[in-house]
Amino acid sequence: MSSCLFCRIASAEIPAKVIYQDAAVLAFEDVNPQAPLHCLIIPRRHIASLNDLTPEDTGLVGTMQYRAAMLAKERGYGERGYRTIFNCQADAGQTVFHIHLHLLAGRSLGWPPG
Ligand code: 5GP
Ligand code: ZN
């Protein structure tokens, strides 16, 4: 989708600090990090929000979650811990309408979230 920021990052039309990529997903550093490690895991294929998932997407979402866990462990946060978050629509603060899994680690994260 040519007007979508994260589709443009996925196609390398817009630069990002990519830390992992394969045929299905891409992980890159968040431009406004909220923790020492804050990256976004996205599917290459455009899906606007979690509301748009279909039964065929369940494997893809599992792949995103698995990749977040692998990245956190590779960077040494497996024992200390980390958080993964999908924001969906306005109340959750979704601002980019191409699904993305936030991975945050490296500081104590408050609960409940704001
Ligand atoms: P949301 O609020 O939709 O869950 O998260 C969107 C995230 O995308 C935010 O954390 C924001 O900092 C990040 N972001 C927005 N624009 C860009 C960009 O152009 N490049 C990168 N790397 N991250 C971005
Ligand atoms: Zn997109």
Side-chain angles (χ1 to χ4, degrees):
M1 191 180 172
S2 61
S3 62
C4 169
L5 174 63
F6 286 178
C7 281
R8 295 172 79 186
I9 286 177
S11 65
E13 190 186 330
I14 290 177
K17 292 182 181 167
V18 174
I19 59 173
Y20 176 85
Q21 58 183 318
D22 62 26
V25 303
L26 188 80
F28 55 92
E29 293 178 10
D30 195 292
V31 76
N32 183 23
Q34 301 301 310
L37 172 61
H38 184 181
C39 67
L40 304 172
I41 297 95
I42 67 168
R44 288 191 180 278
R45 181 162 55 85
H46 182 82
I47 302 171
S49 87
L50 292 184
N51 291 334
D52 301 297
L53 292 174
T54 69
E56 288 70 40
D57 296 325
T58 56
L60 178 61
V61 173
T63 295
M64 294 168 68
Q65 182 62 72
Y66 174 75
R67 186 50 52 195
M70 292 306 101
L71 288 168
K73 285 171 62 179
E74 282 167 23
R75 282 161 175 71
Y77 297 113
E79 292 295 319
R80 262 181 80 178
Y82 53 91
R83 185 173 292 167
T84 59
I85 306 161
F86 278 109
N87 291 324
C88 183
Q89 301 290 358
D91 272 4
Q94 185 177 6
T95 59
V96 178
F97 286 82
H98 177 133
I99 61 167
H100 46 282
L101 183 59
H102 293 260
L103 168 61
L104 296 129
R107 68 173 173 85
S108 181
L109 299 161
W111 193 263

